[in-house]
Amino acid sequence: MILGLAAALVISGKPYVTHHWGTKVDKKYEISVDFPTFHGTSPLVRLANRTVSVELQKAKDFVVFTKKEQKENPGFGAGYDYESGFSVSTFRSDLISLSFGINSYEGGAHGSNTSRPYNFGTVHGAAKRLKLQDLFKTGLKGREIVSKIVMAKLAKDDRAQWVADGTVKALDGETCEAFVISAKGLEYTFDQYVMGSYAVGPVDCIVSFAELRGQLDPGGPLRSFLRGR
């Protein structure tokens, strides 16, 4: 059964339209993905819409992968699953932040839960997908600053097993980007196996704007938060 691209669902009061796509073949696979189209025509909104639409393609790629795997392993009994949804943390004229949560099963003892954050802002007058370093004043090393704060917090978190045993000592180029931006600050979500075993699940950590006071670029992508609007 093919569900296809359903009509857009307009949610009252939300700055976006939610689209749904899915496909299902009984006992073989079931795929479902929701993704937004933000309202507006600014360069920032157009960039965000163009970029996050890749989540639909990732779901379709999973269908191709599944068909190939099941053709090569016809005796495999369990069906494959892929479910993707999103949550918007911030939508402002100068800043958009959201994250996709993906639950998937490709065989084995258990499935996986992963997150993909997307942050968009304006840097030197141009819309771009943000990196952590874009938020800081010139000359400061954003990763080192945030890593020190996060590691100190995770050292007190029982879920962060691999911080406690010394396996993880700092954020690397990938984990330092695992955040969304909200009124609370930089909200980090580390997937299973990043800071601990599968059993502990994702590990979260918030770095508040107050903890980064004096180090964030007051004219950068976070300017509206830093000015209190």
Side-chain angles (χ1 to χ4, degrees), residues 65-202:
F65 162 78
T66 297
K67 289 180 177 179
K68 178 176 180 293
E69 286 290 300
Q70 294 183 339
K71 182 178 180 180
E72 295 175 353
N73 302 281
F76 184 73
Y80 285 20
D81 293 297
Y82 183 100
E83 181 180 5
S84 175
F86 69 92
S87 176
V88 178
S89 301
T90 298
F91 180 85
R92 299 187 176 200
S93 62
D94 59 353
L95 187 66
I96 299 172
S97 182
L98 69 157
S99 179
F100 282 80
I102 301 95
N103 300 318
S104 63
Y105 177 72
E106 304 172 19
H110 50 69
S112 66
N113 302 294
T114 58
S115 60
R116 276 196 287 269
Y118 292 88
N119 299 298
F120 305 94
T122 303
V123 178
H124 303 306
K128 68 168 292 189
R129 184 173 178 180
L130 299 174
K131 294 288 190 180
L132 179 64
Q133 188 58 43
D134 294 322
L135 311 181
F136 287 83
K137 292 179 177 178
T138 301
L140 296 182
K141 296 180 179 180
R143 187 201 301 183
E144 292 183 7
I145 293 168
V146 170
S147 181
K148 183 177 180 180
I149 296 171
V150 170
M151 289 297 106
K153 292 187 174 189
L154 294 186
K156 303 174 183 178
D157 190 329
D158 291 339
R159 299 171 300 169
Q161 300 164 331
W162 296 341
V163 174
D165 70 10
T167 301
V168 177
K169 294 181 172 61
L171 299 184
D172 60 22
E174 182 176 356
T175 54
C176 75
E177 305 295 343
F179 67 91
V180 292
I181 302 166
S182 74
K184 297 178 181 179
L186 308 185
E187 296 192 37
Y188 276 87
T189 299
F190 303 108
D191 293 334
Q192 297 158 325
Y193 298 119
V194 174
M195 296 297 174
S197 67
Y198 176 87
V200 302

Side-chain angles (χ1 to χ4, degrees), residues 207-227:
V207 179
S208 70
F209 296 134
E211 292 174 290
L212 300 173
R213 184 178 290 115
Q215 301 173 98
L216 298 170
D217 183 355
L222 298 180
R223 54 189 173 276
S224 61
F225 275 121
L226 300 181
R227 294 170 186 168

Side-chain angles (χ1 to χ4, degrees), residues 5-21:
L5 184 61
L9 175 62
V10 180
I11 303 177
S12 177
K14 300 293 184 180
Y16 54 81
V17 173
T18 299
H19 302 278
H20 175 78
W21 181 88

Side-chain angles (χ1 to χ4, degrees), residues 1-4 22-26 29:
M1 178 176 68
I2 304 295
L3 303 179
T23 180
K24 177 180 179 180
V25 175
D26 291 340
Y29 58 80

Side-chain angles (χ1 to χ4, degrees), residues 39-57:
H39 301 315
T41 58
S42 70
L44 185 65
V45 168
R46 292 201 303 271
L47 173 63
N49 287 338
R50 184 170 65 251
T51 304
V52 302
S53 66
V54 73
E55 292 296 330
L56 173 59
Q57 187 58 51

